Amino acid sequence: MDGVRTRPVWAFLTGPYALCLLFLLLIPFANVAMYSLHPYSPTKVFLPELTLDNYSKIFDLYYARLFGRTLRLGLITTAACVVLGYPLAYFLARARPRVQTLGLFLLIMPLMVSAVIRIFGWIVILGRKGLVNQVLLALSIEPIKLLYTETAVVIGLVNIFAPFMVLPIMASIERIPPSLEEAAQNLGANWYRMFQRVILPLTLPGLISGCLLVYSLSISAFVTPALMGNTRERMAGQQIYDEVLVSFNWPSASSLALTLVLLTVGLMFCALFATRRASRQETAR
């Protein structure tokens, strides 16, 4: 029996996913990387020569502003989701089962509706004659332009991606025994001090995971910026879409997409490193 080799169970468990990952992600990604290294041809899509011109143009002023705007709106969306989602996550984690179930249903229900339908709902609310401006007119306040601005894009992105922030934080808070909070308060700490020294450090991995999810999804968003944003102030997803389906410049679109993916992967490794470091610090304590 000792000489008989045991079959690796992990190979059978991870094999189907590895094959799916290979054929549906890695091979298409390699194809995109190949397109990005060829010059554009109006008649042949790309030429057989190799070039880095598709990447060098990313440093042009237009594309630098494009990526800067994309990263900035992703950061603002992530910060807004943290401010709005953290209190909600704490409330749901400490709520009674019935209240928690209802809250989770209301939180996840928008994900069951098409993003286009949700955006059209925001257009009705934020439009020139929408609900917000009608309320302002009723209060004798001058209407403001909300739709087709960066503010509208952030509102739409926060509405869509807020659950991806709330759920990881909520899962981290549920693992904290309420007795720790009671012990901190019994030792004289107020709620802010207790949050700073107990809740925040223990929920940091969930917070980082939520920020990673929201930020990655925000910078790659297309539908929300296209329908709620200004056509002159675009995000990277809109530029990639136009270069693929409007100008048919696949090499340029591939370089933009690969740059966006590399930024996301770099962000993911930074977040994972920060999470592991925070976990080690908590273990050392």
Side-chain angles (χ1 to χ4, degrees), residues 128-149:
R128 185 175 181 181
K129 296 183 179 180
L131 179 62
V132 174
N133 282 327
Q134 291 297 326
V135 173
L136 294 178
L137 287 174
L139 298 175
S140 300
I141 301 176
E142 188 70 19
I144 58 178
K145 183 181 180 181
L146 292 174
L147 194 59
Y148 308 123
T149 62

Side-chain angles (χ1 to χ4, degrees), residues 9-71:
V9 180
W10 62 267
F12 293 98
L13 298 178
T14 61
Y17 176 74
L19 292 176
C20 180
L21 190 67
L22 175 65
F23 288 103
L24 299 183
L25 179 63
L26 297 182
I27 293 179
F29 186 77
N31 190 37
V32 170
M34 181 198 69
Y35 273 117
S36 67
L37 297 176
H38 292 283
Y40 167 66
S41 173
T43 57
K44 299 180 181 180
V45 181
F46 69 94
L47 298 176
E49 294 86 3
L50 297 178
T51 180
L52 294 176
D53 292 341
N54 296 319
Y55 291 97
S56 62
K57 75 173 186 178
I58 294 177
F59 299 98
D60 294 343
L61 182 60
Y62 172 78
Y63 291 99
R65 289 180 176 177
L66 179 73
F67 278 99
R69 186 182 306 112
T70 301
L71 300 179

Side-chain angles (χ1 to χ4, degrees), residues 126-181:
L126 302 177
R128 185 175 181 181
K129 296 183 179 180
L131 179 62
V132 174
N133 282 327
Q134 291 297 326
V135 173
L136 294 178
L137 287 174
L139 298 175
S140 300
I141 301 176
E142 188 70 19
I144 58 178
K145 183 181 180 181
L146 292 174
L147 194 59
Y148 308 123
T149 62
E150 291 185 356
T151 303
V153 174
V154 172
I155 292 174
L157 293 177
V158 170
N159 174 248
I160 295 175
F161 300 135
F164 297 96
M165 180 66 70
V166 174
L167 294 178
I169 298 176
M170 177 182 170
S172 298
I173 296 175
E174 286 182 333
R175 289 195 292 265
I176 302 176
S179 58
L180 290 179
E181 302 178 19

Side-chain angles (χ1 to χ4, degrees), residues 173-210:
I173 296 175
E174 286 182 333
R175 289 195 292 265
I176 302 176
S179 58
L180 290 179
E181 302 178 19
E182 297 175 358
Q185 293 177 349
N186 291 334
L187 292 174
N190 55 21
W191 195 92
Y192 173 77
R193 190 72 173 174
M194 181 266 296
F195 173 80
Q196 182 184 9
R197 299 297 297 273
V198 178
I199 299 178
L200 183 59
L202 294 177
T203 58
L204 193 59
L207 178 62
I208 294 176
S209 300

